[in-house]
Amino acid sequence: MFKLALEKINEYCWEVPRQGAMRVPARVFASAKMLEKIQSDQALKQLANVATLPGIVEASLAMPDVHWGYGFPVGGVAATDAEAGVISPGGIGFDISCGVRLVRSALTAKEVEPYLPQLVDKLFEMVPSGVGATGPLHLNNDKLKRVFEGGAQWAVREGYGLPEDLLTIEDSGRIAGSDPDLPSERARERGRDQLGTLGSGNHFLEIERVDAIYDEVAASAFGLFKGQMVALIHTGSRGCGYQVCDDYLKLMPRTSALAGYRPPDRQLACAPLVSREGRDYLAAMAAAANFARANRQVITHRTREAFEAVLGRTSSQMGLGVVYDVCHNIAKIEEYVVSGKKRRLCVHRKGATRAFPAGHEEVPERYRSVGQPVIIPGSMGTASYVLVGTQDAMSQSFGTVAHGAGREMSRIQAAKKIKGEALALELKSQGIHVRTPSYRGLAEEAPFAYKDVNEVVEVCERSGLSRKVARMSPMGVIKG
Amino acid sequence: MLAARALTALAVEDERLPQGRPGVCRARIQTGSKEDLLVAWMNEVIYWLFTKRFIPRHLSLGVNDEFHRIDVTARGRFYKILPMRLEIKSATYHGIHWRRRVGKVSVSVIVDV
């Protein structure tokens, strides 16, 4: 295996010095123990490739959950100059605006436990999951355009949720700059029946118990308390986003050449941000991102309905409200101070979460005194975490932190090690109820296929990129 | 045809297929290189499988190597529900590997799932 030499910056940060075609160094946030595993796949090589992008600023970055991806590693961050730099669809990924939403409740886990089997069954029935799942909505072109423009705001206007939900969603549920005419006919066709569906792979809907609080002030601001029941939703833009990525990956080799750039990996193809193609991709990506936000909003609504049906109380009586919704596959134009100068940058986050500190104007008003919530899911058998953004992340990682545990084992390897049926039983013995349309898919997502989320979160905290607020453990899992 | 068959085998639970309706899908794909052509063709099949719910069984191909173009007429079946084992988002360019053997070519393509 080809290994790049790493220089230690500190206990939790390592650097591949600039060399060859790299325009900037590549940095990895990891512990020494994690580094060995990170070096065992192509992630570092990919990180060095990302450092060759025209207009990249400061460094190509990897979060502690980094692993091999397509072109960009998953867990990778690259900020390019908004005028002189490029945008690369590979730096966002196929599942545009895939993200996580945390829903709080006024219920304790103990109150919910007796209803858990029925609740999991009801959620499984009401939130379609699995390969090619179609949802409760069929969107004609007019409605799809409104989804592309309005995101979660469209969903709330249509009655899927409450206006106050929007107060604590990234960008208030609607990313600006979308052009609803840009997603191709095929992208529209692929998304038409998929709003309100989880999809497959690592997507899920989980009922969780808050089992530890680390920061009382932030937890209280987020409405979290020990022993509380919360729900966690992980999904994205479904077939619509995959197609937008495909469509622009086809175009980008030509535009890379126009930028005078020969990418070391075809999936790093890109376009100058000021070019027509670059602007179009950003606008089409925003349309797909709004689809993803609407998707998580519709799922939240269906989750509330499932709780109402099983527990026989209204969702307001149960206090079901959105803690936060943040995506981890996106590019955004943001401002940072680099070498003492304020600059507009296009921050690519692929499998990496925005983590803004207290006082930042893009943090929802109700959280502005503590900072932006960051949601880090583990696997279906391990803990998930709520963190909060810090000022250090702004100077070290363009306000970014990890997005999850990160895969350690391939799907094929995982499925060879355990049968899905056996895994469901094993989880049940731990008090975790699972429903899935595919036992094979369940086996592929076995907890042992992932890195240790506790270690990922420790590195995020010790490196200063974020602070721990709360830990949650799964009680019920709907796996796509 | 082999690429279409490989994708179908990966994505569809063939043994659980319900009765389908016979039908035809057509595509013209023109690209700049043989890698592009292969990836575009595989993405066309992914679209047929996951959005049209169409499984191609017999292909008539018009191939223009010089312009990396194919004209495809696929005969197969449309299904109301297609039992899937794996959601494939896209074929990728990552690590495409061509191997020439006597009288044969084999290609490895990584798909995003």
Side-chain angles (χ1 to χ4, degrees):
Chain A
M1 173 64 63
F2 171 77
K3 277 192 179 180
L4 281 162
L6 283 162
E7 286 178 6
K8 185 174 177 178
I9 305 291
N10 59 46
E11 284 302 307
Y12 300 103
C13 186
W14 311 78
E15 186 171 288
V16 179
R18 193 178 151 188
Q19 55 196 276
M22 290 168 71
R23 293 167 203 256
V24 290
R27 278 184 210 132
V28 190
F29 293 94
S31 63
K33 187 178 156 201
M34 295 171 97
L35 211 54
E36 207 169 300
K37 280 181 184 156
I38 291 170
Q39 285 181 299
S40 69
D41 67 20
Q42 295 179 49
L44 279 187
K45 175 82 176 97
Q46 292 186 325
L47 197 65
N49 287 344
V50 171
T52 68
L53 283 173
I56 189 166
V57 172
E58 192 88 6
S60 153
L61 302 170
M63 298 295 115
D65 52 340
V66 68
H67 59 278
W68 178 93
Y70 309 109
F72 270 64
V74 178
V77 182
T80 54
D81 186 273
E83 275 76 45
V86 292
I87 184 159
S88 172
I92 289 107
F94 284 101
D95 195 356
I96 293 169
S97 198
C98 180
V100 197
R101 175 178 290 209
L102 182 64
V103 177
R104 72 168 85 83
S105 79
L107 305 168
T108 63
K110 269 204 171 348
E111 277 177 90
V112 175
E113 261 167 11
Y115 301 96
L116 203 54
Q118 299 104 288
L119 197 51
V120 169
D121 286 348
K122 194 71 184 168
L123 286 166
F124 184 71
E125 176 198 319
M126 294 194 68
V127 182
S129 57
V131 183
T134 54
L137 298 165
H138 175 80
L139 304 171
N140 61 26
N141 276 345
D142 269 359
K143 274 195 177 168
L144 259 175
K145 277 190 177 184
R146 277 181 252 149
V147 172
F148 290 153
E149 256 182 352
Q153 294 183 7
W154 169 87
V156 168
R157 277 198 302 273
E158 293 291 309
Y160 299 100
L162 307 168
E164 56 261 38
D165 294 346
L166 301 171
L167 300 176
T168 49
I169 303 177
E170 187 180 15
D171 310 310
S172 304
R174 174 187 177 271
I175 187 166
S178 150
D179 182 339
D181 291 319
L182 281 176
S184 63
E185 173 53 36
R186 191 163 284 193
R188 291 199 291 269
E189 201 180 344
R190 288 181 77 173
R192 200 177 298 287
D193 293 322
Q194 292 192 324
L195 206 63
T197 66
L198 277 178
S200 64
N202 61 357
H203 294 158
F204 62 77
L205 165 53
E206 288 183 358
I207 300 169
E208 308 244 345
R209 172 195 298 107
V210 176
D211 60 15
I213 297 286
Y214 304 100
D215 180 333
E216 288 287 352
V217 175
S220 164
F222 301 160
L224 300 175
F225 59 88
K226 193 171 175 187
Q228 180 183 23
M229 186 230 72
V230 292
L232 199 52
I233 298 162
H234 176 215
T235 187
S237 51
R238 312 285 286 108
C240 170
Y242 314 159
Q243 189 64 43
V244 168
C245 184
D246 259 353
D247 290 341
Y248 283 86
L249 272 176
K250 268 183 226 157
L251 285 180
M252 296 280 171
R254 194 174 56 81
T255 50
S256 306
L258 287 177
Y261 176 56
R262 199 185 154 89
D265 181 327
R266 168 70 192 258
Q267 302 245 157
L268 279 178
C270 56
L273 275 152
V274 292
S275 69
R276 164 95 191 262
E277 291 83 355
R279 288 196 306 266
D280 280 358
Y281 173 68
L282 256 183
M285 178 211 72
N290 283 334
F291 184 96
R293 280 140 207 244
N295 191 27
R296 291 194 286 274
Q297 184 63 37
V298 172
I299 291 173
T300 303
H301 178 71
R302 304 281 285 175
T303 300
R304 283 176 166 136
E305 288 182 332
F307 271 85
E308 287 175 345
V310 173
L311 276 79
R313 286 183 255 173
T314 65
S315 64
S316 66
Q317 283 170 335
M318 292 180 277
L320 296 174
V322 177
V323 174
Y324 202 59
D325 178 310
V326 64
C327 69
H328 44 237
N329 284 2
I330 197 89
K332 285 188 152 182
I333 305 293
E334 295 167 358
E335 278 189 357
Y336 290 89
V337 176
V338 182
S339 307
K341 251 179 89 182
K342 200 181 236 190
R343 290 177 69 175
R344 280 180 75 237
L345 304 174
C346 177
V347 183
H348 299 65
R349 296 185 178 95
K350 179 180 182 181
T353 312
R354 186 154 98 164
F356 282 172
H360 196 287
E361 60 177 12
E362 289 194 48
V363 176
E365 214 175 307
R366 70 166 65 165
Y367 302 148
R368 205 163 292 160
S369 63
V370 289
Q372 179 214 303
V374 175
I375 306 152
I376 308 277
S379 71
M380 61 187 144
T382 59
S384 295
Y385 285 85
V386 179
L387 314 179
V388 67
T390 62
Q391 196 59 48
D392 272 1
M394 299 304 276
S395 52
Q396 290 195 78
S397 63
F398 302 105
T400 311
V401 75
H403 86 308
R407 274 201 99 83
E408 188 166 85
M409 190 181 279
S410 77
R411 291 172 188 280
I412 293 170
Q413 282 175 307
K416 273 184 186 164
K417 279 193 90 167
I418 196 163
K419 292 267 177 245
E421 291 86 342
L423 178 60
L425 283 174
E426 195 178 305
L427 290 167
K428 196 172 181 184
S429 73
Q430 295 166 32
I432 304 167
H433 292 257
V434 181
R435 285 295 306 266
T436 177
S438 160
Y439 280 112
R440 158 89 196 192
L442 192 72
E444 289 175 357
E445 290 296 315
F448 56 72
Y450 284 86
K451 290 180 190 173
D452 180 357
V453 70
N454 302 307
E455 206 176 342
V456 169
V457 167
E458 280 308 312
V459 172
C460 291
E461 183 163 85
R462 289 179 187 202
S463 58
L465 301 184
S466 54
R467 276 192 342 267
K468 282 190 288 186
V469 174
R471 187 183 66 204
M472 305 166 294
S473 57
M475 299 162 66
V477 178
I478 315 298
K479 198 74 183 170
Chain B
M1 185 64 210
L2 284 175
R5 208 178 286 163
L7 277 172
T8 307
L10 201 58
V12 179
E13 291 189 54
D14 227 3
E15 60 281 6
R16 287 180 49 214
L17 273 181
Q19 193 76 337
R21 173 175 59 82
V24 175
C25 276
R26 290 188 176 84
R28 165 173 282 196
I29 302 167
Q30 182 158 9
T31 60
S33 68
K34 66 176 181 178
E35 279 83 8
D36 286 343
L37 189 62
L38 178 64
V39 170
W41 165 235
M42 290 181 73
N43 283 332
E44 186 70 28
V45 176
I46 289 167
Y47 166 68
W48 287 350
L49 291 172
F50 289 92
T51 307
K52 298 271 185 207
R53 297 190 193 96
F54 172 76
I55 298 186
R57 295 294 185 193
H58 304 283
L59 299 182
S60 307
L61 282 177
V63 182
N64 183 326
D65 277 337
E66 195 184 344
F67 296 106
H68 305 294
R69 190 180 77 202
I70 52 171
D71 289 286
V72 188
T73 301
R75 290 175 205 291
R77 285 182 180 270
F78 288 97
Y79 297 87
K80 274 199 168 157
I81 295 169
L82 206 45
M84 296 294 199
R85 72 172 102 240
L86 184 69
E87 182 158 42
I88 302 172
K89 296 176 190 170
S90 182
T92 76
Y93 290 94
H94 193 88
I96 292 185
H97 186 51
W98 300 76
R99 280 181 298 266
R100 291 197 176 278
R101 293 180 187 144
V102 186
K104 284 182 186 170
V105 174
S106 72
V107 194
S108 306
V109 180
I110 294 174
V111 294
D112 192 5
V113 298

